[in-house]
Amino acid sequence: MFGAGRTTEWGRRLFLVSYILMLVRVLLSSSTFVVYLNADGIFFRYILRILLWLPIFVKLFTQDRFTGRTFLAYCLFACLILAITVSGRSFELVDLAILVIGVHGVPLRSVVRAFFYTAATVCLTLFCMSLCGIIENFVSISAGRPRYAFGNVYATDFAATVFYIELAHAYLKGKRYNFRNFLFWMAVSAFIMLFCVARLDFALIFCTAWVMLAVGYFPRLFSLRAVKVCLWSAIPIFCILSIVLHAVYAPGNSFLAWLNDLLSGRLYYGNMAFRDYGFSLFGKRVVMQGWGFSTDEWDAELGYYFVDCGWLSIALRFGVVMLVFVCTVFTLISKSSLKKGDCILPIILFFLALTSMVDHHMLEYHFDPFLLVLNAGLCTQGGRVRAARRAAVPERG
Protein backbone atom coordinates (compact mmCIF):
# COMPACT_ATOMS: atom_id res chain seq x y z
CA MET A 1 0.00 0.00 0.00
CA PHE A 2 1.12 3.57 -0.63
CA GLY A 3 0.97 6.27 1.97
CA ALA A 4 0.98 6.41 5.72
CA GLY A 5 -2.78 5.87 5.85
CA ARG A 6 -5.23 3.76 3.93
CA THR A 7 -8.15 3.76 1.53
CA THR A 8 -11.18 1.55 1.02
CA GLU A 9 -11.88 -0.88 -1.81
CA TRP A 10 -14.19 1.75 -3.26
CA GLY A 11 -11.34 4.23 -2.99
CA ARG A 12 -9.08 1.91 -4.97
CA ARG A 13 -11.73 1.50 -7.66
CA LEU A 14 -12.37 5.23 -7.90
CA PHE A 15 -8.69 5.91 -8.41
CA LEU A 16 -8.33 3.23 -11.10
CA VAL A 17 -11.37 4.57 -12.98
CA SER A 18 -9.80 8.04 -13.11
CA TYR A 19 -6.35 6.68 -13.91
CA ILE A 20 -7.50 4.46 -16.80
CA LEU A 21 -9.63 7.19 -18.38
CA MET A 22 -6.83 9.74 -18.02
CA LEU A 23 -4.46 7.28 -19.70
CA VAL A 24 -6.84 6.76 -22.63
CA ARG A 25 -7.33 10.51 -23.07
CA VAL A 26 -3.61 11.29 -23.20
CA LEU A 27 -2.63 8.23 -25.23
CA LEU A 28 -5.18 9.16 -27.92
CA SER A 29 -4.15 12.82 -27.93
CA SER A 30 -0.51 11.71 -28.33
CA SER A 31 -1.27 9.73 -31.48
CA THR A 32 -2.30 10.47 -35.03
CA PHE A 33 -5.87 9.76 -33.87
CA VAL A 34 -5.73 13.35 -32.66
CA VAL A 35 -7.06 14.49 -36.07
CA TYR A 36 -10.46 13.12 -34.97
CA LEU A 37 -10.34 15.04 -31.70
CA ASN A 38 -10.69 18.71 -31.02
CA ALA A 39 -7.70 18.42 -28.70
CA ASP A 40 -7.19 22.17 -28.49
CA GLY A 41 -10.82 22.85 -27.68
CA ILE A 42 -12.06 23.91 -24.26
CA PHE A 43 -13.94 20.65 -23.64
CA PHE A 44 -11.10 18.24 -24.38
CA ARG A 45 -8.32 20.34 -22.85
CA TYR A 46 -10.09 21.57 -19.71
CA ILE A 47 -13.63 20.32 -19.06
CA LEU A 48 -12.97 16.63 -19.80
CA ARG A 49 -9.71 16.81 -17.91
CA ILE A 50 -11.42 18.11 -14.77
CA LEU A 51 -14.25 15.57 -15.08
CA LEU A 52 -11.70 12.75 -15.08
CA TRP A 53 -10.19 14.10 -11.84
CA LEU A 54 -13.53 13.93 -10.00
CA PRO A 55 -13.38 10.24 -8.91
CA ILE A 56 -9.95 10.90 -7.36
CA PHE A 57 -11.26 13.92 -5.48
CA VAL A 58 -14.22 11.87 -4.23
CA LYS A 59 -11.77 9.20 -3.07
CA LEU A 60 -9.54 11.67 -1.24
CA PHE A 61 -12.41 13.35 0.60
CA THR A 62 -14.60 10.33 1.38
CA GLN A 63 -12.53 7.12 1.29
CA ASP A 64 -9.00 7.98 2.44
CA ARG A 65 -7.44 8.26 5.88
CA PHE A 66 -4.28 10.29 6.46
CA THR A 67 -1.86 10.91 9.28
CA GLY A 68 -1.11 14.56 9.99
CA ARG A 69 2.41 14.18 8.62
CA THR A 70 1.21 12.61 5.39
CA PHE A 71 -1.39 15.33 4.89
CA LEU A 72 1.29 17.99 5.44
CA ALA A 73 3.60 16.25 2.94
CA TYR A 74 0.83 16.24 0.34
CA CYS A 75 0.23 19.95 0.91
CA LEU A 76 3.93 20.74 0.50
CA PHE A 77 4.06 18.67 -2.69
CA ALA A 78 1.03 20.56 -4.02
CA CYS A 79 2.82 23.83 -3.24
CA LEU A 80 5.90 22.60 -5.13
CA ILE A 81 3.80 21.76 -8.18
CA LEU A 82 2.09 25.16 -7.92
CA ALA A 83 5.49 26.91 -7.84
CA ILE A 84 6.64 24.90 -10.87
CA THR A 85 3.38 25.65 -12.71
CA VAL A 86 3.69 29.38 -12.11
CA SER A 87 7.42 29.51 -12.86
CA GLY A 88 7.17 27.44 -16.05
CA ARG A 89 3.75 28.78 -17.09
CA SER A 90 2.63 25.24 -17.83
CA PHE A 91 0.00 22.93 -16.34
CA GLU A 92 1.92 19.86 -17.49
CA LEU A 93 2.56 18.45 -13.99
CA VAL A 94 -0.94 19.05 -12.58
CA ASP A 95 -2.30 15.70 -13.81
CA LEU A 96 0.75 13.91 -12.41
CA ALA A 97 0.42 15.66 -9.05
CA ILE A 98 -3.23 14.63 -8.73
CA LEU A 99 -2.31 11.02 -9.52
CA VAL A 100 0.66 10.99 -7.12
CA ILE A 101 -1.52 12.20 -4.25
CA GLY A 102 -4.62 10.33 -5.39
CA VAL A 103 -2.83 6.95 -5.43
CA HIS A 104 -2.77 7.08 -1.61
CA GLY A 105 -3.53 3.60 -0.27
CA VAL A 106 -3.60 1.90 -3.69
CA PRO A 107 -1.17 -1.02 -4.25
CA LEU A 108 1.49 -0.42 -6.87
CA ARG A 109 0.62 -3.72 -8.51
CA SER A 110 -2.94 -2.54 -9.16
CA VAL A 111 -1.64 0.63 -10.80
CA VAL A 112 0.86 -1.20 -13.01
CA ARG A 113 -1.72 -3.82 -14.01
CA ALA A 114 -4.17 -1.07 -15.02
CA PHE A 115 -1.45 0.66 -17.03
CA PHE A 116 -0.31 -2.54 -18.73
CA TYR A 117 -3.74 -3.58 -20.00
CA THR A 118 -4.83 -0.05 -20.89
CA ALA A 119 -1.63 1.03 -22.67
CA ALA A 120 -1.25 -2.31 -24.45
CA THR A 121 -4.86 -2.23 -25.66
CA VAL A 122 -4.69 1.36 -26.89
CA CYS A 123 -1.27 0.80 -28.48
CA LEU A 124 -2.45 -2.35 -30.29
CA THR A 125 -5.66 -0.64 -31.44
CA LEU A 126 -3.75 2.33 -32.84
CA PHE A 127 -1.27 -0.07 -34.45
CA CYS A 128 -4.07 -1.92 -36.28
CA MET A 129 -5.86 1.32 -37.23
CA SER A 130 -2.66 2.70 -38.74
CA LEU A 131 -2.11 -0.46 -40.81
CA CYS A 132 -5.73 -0.34 -42.01
CA GLY A 133 -5.37 3.30 -43.04
CA ILE A 134 -7.96 4.59 -40.56
CA ILE A 135 -5.33 6.85 -39.01
CA GLU A 136 -1.99 7.93 -40.41
CA ASN A 137 0.99 5.62 -40.05
CA PHE A 138 3.55 8.43 -39.91
CA VAL A 139 6.78 7.57 -41.72
CA SER A 140 10.14 9.29 -41.40
CA ILE A 141 13.41 8.46 -43.12
CA SER A 142 16.71 7.76 -41.35
CA ALA A 143 19.81 7.00 -43.43
CA GLY A 144 17.56 5.96 -46.29
CA ARG A 145 15.50 3.58 -44.14
CA PRO A 146 11.78 4.16 -43.39
CA ARG A 147 10.78 4.45 -39.74
CA TYR A 148 7.13 3.65 -39.01
CA ALA A 149 5.28 5.21 -36.06
CA PHE A 150 2.28 2.81 -36.20
CA GLY A 151 -0.29 5.37 -35.05
CA ASN A 152 2.03 7.28 -32.77
CA VAL A 153 3.43 10.72 -33.58
CA TYR A 154 6.97 9.44 -34.15
CA ALA A 155 8.72 6.09 -34.50
CA THR A 156 10.79 6.49 -31.33
CA ASP A 157 7.67 7.42 -29.35
CA PHE A 158 6.04 4.18 -30.47
CA ALA A 159 9.20 2.26 -29.54
CA ALA A 160 9.32 3.98 -26.14
CA THR A 161 5.67 3.09 -25.50
CA VAL A 162 6.46 -0.55 -26.19
CA PHE A 163 9.47 -0.40 -23.85
CA TYR A 164 7.42 1.01 -20.96
CA ILE A 165 4.78 -1.66 -21.57
CA GLU A 166 7.59 -4.23 -21.32
CA LEU A 167 8.66 -2.76 -17.96
CA ALA A 168 5.08 -3.05 -16.68
CA HIS A 169 4.92 -6.66 -17.88
CA ALA A 170 8.27 -7.41 -16.23
CA TYR A 171 7.04 -6.02 -12.91
CA LEU A 172 3.81 -8.04 -13.05
CA LYS A 173 5.63 -11.27 -13.96
CA GLY A 174 8.43 -10.77 -11.43
CA LYS A 175 10.29 -13.96 -10.59
CA ARG A 176 7.75 -15.94 -12.64
CA TYR A 177 9.31 -14.53 -15.81
CA ASN A 178 9.96 -17.46 -18.16
CA PHE A 179 11.61 -18.36 -21.45
CA ARG A 180 8.42 -17.81 -23.44
CA ASN A 181 8.23 -14.25 -22.13
CA PHE A 182 11.88 -13.81 -23.08
CA LEU A 183 11.32 -15.04 -26.65
CA PHE A 184 8.31 -12.76 -27.07
CA TRP A 185 10.27 -9.65 -26.10
CA MET A 186 13.23 -10.73 -28.23
CA ALA A 187 10.85 -10.81 -31.20
CA VAL A 188 9.44 -7.41 -30.22
CA SER A 189 12.94 -5.90 -29.98
CA ALA A 190 13.74 -7.22 -33.49
CA PHE A 191 10.48 -5.71 -34.79
CA ILE A 192 11.35 -2.34 -33.24
CA MET A 193 14.79 -2.35 -34.82
CA LEU A 194 13.52 -3.48 -38.22
CA PHE A 195 10.50 -1.21 -38.64
CA CYS A 196 11.17 1.73 -36.29
CA VAL A 197 14.97 1.83 -36.61
CA ALA A 198 15.03 2.82 -32.93
CA ARG A 199 18.47 1.63 -31.81
CA LEU A 200 18.27 2.79 -28.20
CA ASP A 201 14.82 1.39 -27.51
CA PHE A 202 15.83 -1.84 -29.23
CA ALA A 203 18.80 -2.11 -26.86
CA LEU A 204 16.64 -1.31 -23.81
CA ILE A 205 13.95 -3.88 -24.70
CA PHE A 206 16.64 -6.44 -25.50
CA CYS A 207 18.58 -5.89 -22.25
CA THR A 208 15.46 -5.81 -20.06
CA ALA A 209 14.41 -9.20 -21.42
CA TRP A 210 17.83 -10.70 -20.63
CA VAL A 211 17.87 -9.26 -17.10
CA MET A 212 14.37 -10.54 -16.38
CA LEU A 213 15.32 -13.96 -17.73
CA ALA A 214 18.17 -13.97 -15.21
CA VAL A 215 15.70 -13.03 -12.47
CA GLY A 216 13.48 -15.96 -13.43
CA TYR A 217 16.21 -18.59 -13.63
CA PHE A 218 19.10 -17.26 -11.53
CA PRO A 219 17.42 -15.28 -8.71
CA ARG A 220 20.39 -15.73 -6.35
CA LEU A 221 22.45 -13.48 -8.61
CA PHE A 222 20.42 -10.52 -7.39
CA SER A 223 21.10 -11.29 -3.74
CA LEU A 224 24.79 -10.47 -4.24
CA ARG A 225 25.82 -7.29 -2.47
CA ALA A 226 27.66 -5.95 -5.54
CA VAL A 227 24.55 -6.35 -7.70
CA LYS A 228 22.36 -4.65 -5.09
CA VAL A 229 24.71 -1.69 -4.76
CA CYS A 230 24.88 -1.39 -8.54
CA LEU A 231 21.09 -1.30 -8.87
CA TRP A 232 20.37 1.48 -6.40
CA SER A 233 23.54 3.56 -6.88
CA ALA A 234 23.10 3.61 -10.65
CA ILE A 235 20.08 5.91 -10.30
CA PRO A 236 21.93 9.01 -9.00
CA ILE A 237 24.95 8.13 -11.15
CA PHE A 238 22.87 8.09 -14.34
CA CYS A 239 21.18 11.34 -13.29
CA ILE A 240 24.40 13.22 -12.57
CA LEU A 241 26.34 11.74 -15.48
CA SER A 242 23.72 12.59 -18.08
CA ILE A 243 23.44 16.20 -16.90
CA VAL A 244 27.22 16.66 -16.73
CA LEU A 245 27.73 15.23 -20.23
CA HIS A 246 25.19 17.63 -21.70
CA ALA A 247 26.53 20.60 -19.75
CA VAL A 248 30.21 20.10 -20.70
CA TYR A 249 29.62 18.97 -24.28
CA ALA A 250 32.00 20.59 -26.74
CA PRO A 251 32.25 19.57 -30.41
CA GLY A 252 36.03 19.97 -30.21
CA ASN A 253 36.29 17.10 -27.74
CA SER A 254 36.73 13.95 -29.82
CA PHE A 255 35.19 11.62 -27.22
CA LEU A 256 32.13 13.83 -26.66
CA ALA A 257 31.75 14.34 -30.41
CA TRP A 258 31.79 10.57 -30.90
CA LEU A 259 29.27 10.08 -28.08
CA ASN A 260 27.05 12.82 -29.50
CA ASP A 261 27.06 11.09 -32.88
CA LEU A 262 26.25 7.75 -31.21
CA LEU A 263 23.30 9.41 -29.44
CA SER A 264 21.98 11.01 -32.63
CA GLY A 265 22.92 14.56 -31.66
CA ARG A 266 21.34 14.49 -28.21
CA LEU A 267 24.32 16.08 -26.45
CA TYR A 268 24.43 18.97 -28.92
CA TYR A 269 20.77 19.93 -28.50
CA GLY A 270 20.82 19.34 -24.75
CA ASN A 271 23.87 21.58 -24.39
CA MET A 272 22.17 24.26 -26.49
CA ALA A 273 19.12 24.24 -24.22
CA PHE A 274 21.35 24.27 -21.13
CA ARG A 275 23.18 27.38 -22.39
CA ASP A 276 19.95 29.09 -23.46
CA TYR A 277 17.95 28.48 -20.29
CA GLY A 278 20.20 27.30 -17.46
CA PHE A 279 18.98 25.77 -14.22
CA SER A 280 16.57 27.23 -11.68
CA LEU A 281 14.83 26.06 -8.53
CA PHE A 282 11.37 25.64 -10.04
CA GLY A 283 12.05 25.53 -13.77
CA LYS A 284 11.35 27.76 -16.74
CA ARG A 285 9.19 27.69 -19.83
CA VAL A 286 11.32 25.91 -22.43
CA VAL A 287 9.91 26.11 -25.95
CA MET A 288 10.79 22.90 -27.80
CA GLN A 289 9.97 21.51 -31.21
CA GLY A 290 10.76 18.00 -32.37
CA TRP A 291 10.26 15.86 -35.42
CA GLY A 292 7.11 13.86 -35.99
CA PHE A 293 3.40 14.12 -36.73
CA SER A 294 1.72 17.26 -35.43
CA THR A 295 -1.44 19.23 -36.07
CA ASP A 296 0.48 22.43 -35.29
CA GLU A 297 2.28 24.37 -37.97
CA TRP A 298 6.06 23.89 -38.02
CA ASP A 299 7.93 26.91 -36.62
CA ALA A 300 10.68 27.39 -39.21
CA GLU A 301 12.35 30.09 -37.13
CA LEU A 302 12.77 27.79 -34.12
CA GLY A 303 13.64 24.71 -36.19
CA TYR A 304 14.46 21.44 -34.46
CA TYR A 305 15.01 22.22 -30.79
CA PHE A 306 14.42 19.32 -28.42
CA VAL A 307 15.88 17.89 -25.20
CA ASP A 308 15.70 14.10 -25.28
CA CYS A 309 17.43 13.50 -21.93
CA GLY A 310 14.74 13.07 -19.26
CA TRP A 311 16.98 14.07 -16.37
CA LEU A 312 18.09 17.27 -18.09
CA SER A 313 14.55 18.03 -19.23
CA ILE A 314 13.31 17.88 -15.62
CA ALA A 315 16.10 20.18 -14.44
CA LEU A 316 15.42 22.77 -17.16
CA ARG A 317 11.62 22.69 -17.29
CA PHE A 318 10.64 21.77 -13.72
CA GLY A 319 13.64 22.86 -11.70
CA VAL A 320 16.42 21.45 -9.57
CA VAL A 321 14.08 20.84 -6.61
CA MET A 322 11.92 18.46 -8.66
CA LEU A 323 14.99 16.75 -10.09
CA VAL A 324 16.45 16.10 -6.63
CA PHE A 325 13.11 14.90 -5.31
CA VAL A 326 12.59 12.36 -8.13
CA CYS A 327 16.17 11.09 -8.03
CA THR A 328 16.19 10.79 -4.23
CA VAL A 329 12.85 8.98 -4.01
CA PHE A 330 13.80 6.50 -6.73
CA THR A 331 17.12 5.81 -5.01
CA LEU A 332 15.60 5.35 -1.54
CA ILE A 333 12.82 3.10 -2.83
CA SER A 334 15.31 0.95 -4.72
CA LYS A 335 17.60 0.62 -1.70
CA SER A 336 14.71 -0.10 0.69
CA SER A 337 13.18 -2.71 -1.64
CA LEU A 338 16.50 -4.54 -1.93
CA LYS A 339 16.77 -4.69 1.86
CA LYS A 340 13.39 -6.45 1.91
CA GLY A 341 14.64 -9.03 -0.58
CA ASP A 342 12.77 -7.71 -3.60
CA CYS A 343 14.83 -6.99 -6.73
CA ILE A 344 12.04 -6.44 -9.27
CA LEU A 345 11.17 -2.82 -8.49
CA PRO A 346 14.87 -1.83 -8.24
CA ILE A 347 15.48 -3.39 -11.66
CA ILE A 348 12.57 -1.41 -13.10
CA LEU A 349 13.84 1.82 -11.53
CA PHE A 350 17.34 1.05 -12.83
CA PHE A 351 16.04 0.87 -16.40
CA LEU A 352 13.90 3.98 -15.90
CA ALA A 353 16.99 5.89 -14.79
CA LEU A 354 18.95 4.49 -17.73
CA THR A 355 16.37 5.24 -20.42
CA SER A 356 15.96 8.76 -19.01
CA MET A 357 19.49 9.48 -20.18
CA VAL A 358 18.24 9.23 -23.76
CA ASP A 359 14.46 9.79 -23.71
CA HIS A 360 12.25 12.53 -22.30
CA HIS A 361 9.25 10.54 -21.03
CA MET A 362 10.29 10.29 -17.38
CA LEU A 363 7.55 12.55 -15.96
CA GLU A 364 4.89 11.57 -18.50
CA TYR A 365 2.44 9.35 -16.63
CA HIS A 366 0.97 7.88 -19.83
CA PHE A 367 4.38 6.29 -20.45
CA ASP A 368 5.54 5.56 -16.92
CA PRO A 369 3.21 4.07 -14.25
CA PHE A 370 6.14 3.75 -11.84
CA LEU A 371 6.14 7.52 -11.43
CA LEU A 372 3.42 7.02 -8.85
CA VAL A 373 5.97 5.58 -6.41
CA LEU A 374 6.76 9.26 -5.81
CA ASN A 375 3.87 9.00 -3.37
CA ALA A 376 6.18 6.95 -1.15
CA GLY A 377 8.63 9.83 -1.02
CA LEU A 378 5.89 12.01 0.45
CA CYS A 379 5.27 9.52 3.26
CA THR A 380 8.77 9.15 4.71
CA GLN A 381 8.64 8.36 8.41
CA GLY A 382 11.66 8.58 10.67
CA GLY A 383 14.09 8.77 7.77
CA ARG A 384 12.85 5.47 6.28
CA VAL A 385 10.51 5.08 3.33
CA ARG A 386 7.84 2.92 4.92
CA ALA A 387 5.55 3.13 1.92
CA ALA A 388 8.32 1.95 -0.38
CA ARG A 389 8.80 -1.18 1.70
CA ARG A 390 5.10 -1.91 1.44
CA ALA A 391 5.05 -1.19 -2.28
CA ALA A 392 7.85 -3.70 -2.75
CA VAL A 393 5.70 -6.54 -1.41
CA PRO A 394 3.62 -8.03 -4.27
CA GLU A 395 -0.14 -7.90 -3.85
CA ARG A 396 -1.65 -11.33 -3.31
CA GLY A 397 -4.13 -12.78 -5.73
Side-chain angles (χ1 to χ4, degrees), residues 271-288:
N271 177 262
M272 183 189 299
F274 170 73
R275 288 186 282 107
D276 289 346
Y277 292 96
F279 295 148
S280 59
L281 285 178
F282 303 112
K284 299 176 182 177
R285 178 173 174 78
V286 180
V287 179
M288 292 192 287

Side-chain angles (χ1 to χ4, degrees), residues 163-164 167 238 311 330 347-357 359 362 367-368 370-371:
F163 170 63
Y164 282 92
L167 290 184
F238 288 153
W311 294 112
F330 278 16
I347 288 172
I348 302 299
L349 295 178
F350 171 91
F351 277 105
L352 286 177
L354 177 61
T355 189
S356 295
M357 297 181 72
D359 84 32
M362 190 172 197
F367 279 91
D368 182 8
F370 300 96
L371 268 177

Side-chain angles (χ1 to χ4, degrees), residues 80-196:
L80 170 62
I81 298 301
L82 178 61
I84 293 172
T85 300
V86 172
S87 181
R89 290 174 292 166
S90 170
F91 290 92
E92 193 168 341
L93 291 188
V94 174
D95 284 344
L96 175 61
I98 290 173
L99 289 173
V100 168
I101 295 174
V103 78
H104 177 89
V106 180
L108 176 59
R109 192 171 183 84
S110 294
V111 175
V112 177
R113 185 189 296 117
F115 170 85
F116 175 74
Y117 286 109
T118 303
T121 299
V122 174
C123 184
L124 181 60
T125 301
L126 293 172
F127 177 88
C128 294
M129 291 174 69
S130 70
L131 293 182
C132 293
I134 299 173
I135 60 175
E136 182 174 348
N137 185 0
F138 183 81
V139 183
S140 55
I141 305 297
S142 175
R145 295 180 61 186
R147 310 174 76 187
Y148 299 95
F150 297 111
N152 217 304
V153 295
Y154 198 56
T156 53
D157 279 9
F158 172 78
T161 300
V162 173
F163 170 63
Y164 282 92
I165 290 173
E166 181 193 21
L167 290 184
H169 175 260
Y171 180 81
L172 294 173
K173 293 295 292 187
K175 294 180 180 180
R176 295 179 292 108
Y177 198 94
N178 57 43
F179 194 67
R180 284 175 300 179
N181 303 139
F182 171 77
L183 290 178
F184 173 80
W185 289 109
M186 285 292 100
V188 170
S189 68
F191 180 91
I192 292 297
M193 188 63 191
L194 183 62
F195 292 101
C196 300

Side-chain angles (χ1 to χ4, degrees), residues 175-342:
K175 294 180 180 180
R176 295 179 292 108
Y177 198 94
N178 57 43
F179 194 67
R180 284 175 300 179
N181 303 139
F182 171 77
L183 290 178
F184 173 80
W185 289 109
M186 285 292 100
V188 170
S189 68
F191 180 91
I192 292 297
M193 188 63 191
L194 183 62
F195 292 101
C196 300
V197 197
R199 297 172 301 162
L200 297 173
D201 286 298
F202 157 77
L204 289 164
I205 295 170
F206 183 88
C207 292
T208 301
W210 274 104
V211 171
M212 290 306 301
L213 185 68
V215 170
Y217 290 94
F218 307 100
R220 291 187 178 180
L221 176 66
F222 297 89
S223 63
L224 298 176
R225 177 175 174 81
V227 174
K228 290 182 178 181
V229 171
C230 178
L231 285 175
W232 69 260
S233 63
I235 297 172
I237 290 174
F238 288 153
C239 173
I240 295 170
L241 180 62
S242 58
I243 290 179
V244 169
L245 286 174
H246 285 84
V248 303
Y249 168 75
N253 184 300
S254 58
F255 170 74
L256 292 176
W258 170 81
L259 187 60
N260 179 61
D261 184 61
L262 181 67
L263 297 176
S264 304
R266 282 170 167 80
L267 294 183
Y268 170 80
Y269 290 106
N271 177 262
M272 183 189 299
F274 170 73
R275 288 186 282 107
D276 289 346
Y277 292 96
F279 295 148
S280 59
L281 285 178
F282 303 112
K284 299 176 182 177
R285 178 173 174 78
V286 180
V287 179
M288 292 192 287
Q289 181 172 249
W291 303 124
F293 178 89
S294 176
T295 55
D296 296 326
E297 186 176 349
W298 176 264
D299 186 346
E301 184 177 349
L302 178 63
Y304 182 85
Y305 191 102
F306 203 85
V307 177
D308 279 293
C309 175
W311 294 112
L312 179 62
S313 183
I314 293 174
L316 294 175
R317 299 165 62 213
F318 307 127
V320 174
V321 175
M322 190 66 180
L323 176 73
V324 172
F325 173 66
V326 172
C327 184
T328 301
V329 171
F330 278 16
T331 304
L332 290 177
I333 289 176
S334 180
K335 194 172 183 179
S336 179
S337 298
L338 288 165
K339 287 182 179 179
K340 296 293 291 183
D342 176 70

